[in-house]
Amino acid sequence: MNDLLQLAVDAHGGMKRWNELSEAFVTMKIGGVLWESKQVPGFASIGRIRAKLHEQIYFNEPFLKEGQRSHFQNGTIAIETPDGSVIKERTHPREAFKGHTMETPWDDLHLAYFNAYATWTYLTLPFVLTYEGFQVEEVEGRMDNGEKCRVLKATFPDYLAYHSKEQKFYFGPNGLLRRLDYDVEVSKGASGAHYVHDYQEFNGIMVPTKRLVYPPDENNDPIKDLLVVSAELTEVSFK
């Protein structure tokens, strides 16, 4: 394993502990200007998430209103009743973003897909970078928030849904993730400078409980006057 990735995995709880676990359960409060701009402001609320850790399966309930949830599995996004009856679904959800820009509004299945793949990735970092098909290499470090971070560039495998094929991950001297950078392929022209804060340990895994996403400027510094997405995790458990 790449030595920076090894440092990060160990700092977040280690592969042995991660492999003993199979699911994450999270209550998360969502904010930021993205949802209004995409004309889905009702999503800026509190949701209960269940995610598999070793395959890309994700549930979020309630989704937009009580009595329905989102469900992402095997590349299909669905909105269901709590007992799993399908209300609507999209079997090739990424194709539905063809031609989208930052100004393009979303329907509820666009939103469900974006939320599912993005949050699943966040909950599985940095362990997911060890999964089959990932290519990683350490690249030039960067001073960020007054701290020298080591940076890992990762290329994602095609079997996963992701923000962008190539992403960068910044780790502090203690190996904990500080920031991730990506383009948002489903919203052409959008990029994220995504910061994580307020680590807590849950079931042996170190988890950042606050996330703040800003657009980057021409120097790759965050434009902090524009908070695109915020997320606060209020309850976390693994089993």
Side-chain angles (χ1 to χ4, degrees):
M1 187 187 301
N2 173 285
D3 70 323
L4 176 53
L5 182 54
Q6 183 72 65
L7 173 68
V9 164
D10 291 345
H12 288 80
M15 285 305 303
K16 180 179 184 298
R17 181 57 180 150
W18 184 253
N19 288 331
E20 294 170 345
L21 303 167
S22 62
E23 289 184 283
F25 300 84
V26 176
T27 300
M28 186 162 62
K29 181 179 181 180
I30 297 292
V33 302
L34 175 64
W35 322 112
E36 183 74 37
S37 70
K38 288 297 185 179
Q39 300 182 27
V40 286
F43 185 67
S45 60
I46 296 175
R48 299 181 300 275
I49 294 161
R50 176 164 65 94
K52 296 287 188 180
L53 301 180
H54 302 284
E55 52 187 326
Q56 204 169 33
I57 299 175
Y58 177 93
F59 299 87
N60 186 4
E61 183 180 351
F63 183 75
L64 294 178
K65 65 180 181 179
E66 294 293 334
Q68 64 182 29
R69 69 184 186 186
S70 65
H71 176 193
F72 183 56
Q73 185 170 353
N74 297 326
T76 294
I77 190 68
I79 297 173
E80 308 172 335
T81 63
D83 66 3
S85 299
V86 174
I87 299 170
K88 61 178 72 174
E89 69 177 8
R90 188 168 283 158
T91 55
H92 300 286
R94 208 168 185 92
E95 294 179 5
F97 291 88
K98 186 175 181 180
H100 277 217
T101 67
M102 291 186 289
E103 291 76 31
T104 308
W106 285 344
D107 64 25
D108 49 2
L109 287 169
H110 290 126
L111 170 64
Y113 173 75
F114 174 85
N115 167 249
Y117 81 71
T119 307
W120 182 88
T121 303
Y122 306 154
L123 292 175
T124 57
L125 285 169
F127 304 99
V128 68
L129 302 180
T130 71
Y131 290 7
E132 181 179 359
F134 274 88
Q135 299 176 33
V136 299
E137 63 172 318
E138 185 170 359
V139 295
E140 184 178 357
R142 174 184 168 93
M143 291 296 297
D144 204 81
N145 283 333
E147 181 179 53
K148 180 62 180 291
C149 291
R150 295 174 67 184
V151 180
L152 193 70
K153 182 175 74 173
T155 303
F156 279 61
D158 290 337
Y159 69 85
L160 292 178
Y162 45 71
H163 279 312
S164 55
K165 183 75 172 175
E166 186 178 287
Q167 301 181 34
K168 290 182 178 179
F169 302 89
Y170 299 59
F171 298 95
N174 62 359
L176 292 179
L177 183 65
R178 299 288 195 263
R179 169 180 168 171
L180 46 157
D181 288 352
Y182 45 76
D183 296 323
V184 184
E185 292 180 358
V186 299
S187 188
K188 187 176 180 181
S191 299
H194 181 146
Y195 286 84
V196 300
H197 305 277
D198 293 10
Y199 273 87
Q200 296 182 40
E201 182 180 335
F202 301 95
N203 305 103
I205 302 298
M206 294 296 292
V207 177
T209 59
K210 291 185 179 178
R211 294 178 172 273
L212 302 170
V213 184
Y214 307 96
D217 65 15
E218 64 277 6
N219 297 315
N220 203 28
D221 293 320
I223 303 172
K224 292 192 174 182
D225 291 338
L226 184 56
L227 180 59
V228 180
V229 176
S230 65
E232 181 177 358
L233 282 60
T234 57
E235 299 177 49
V236 181
S237 65
F238 296 93
K239 75 169 189 179

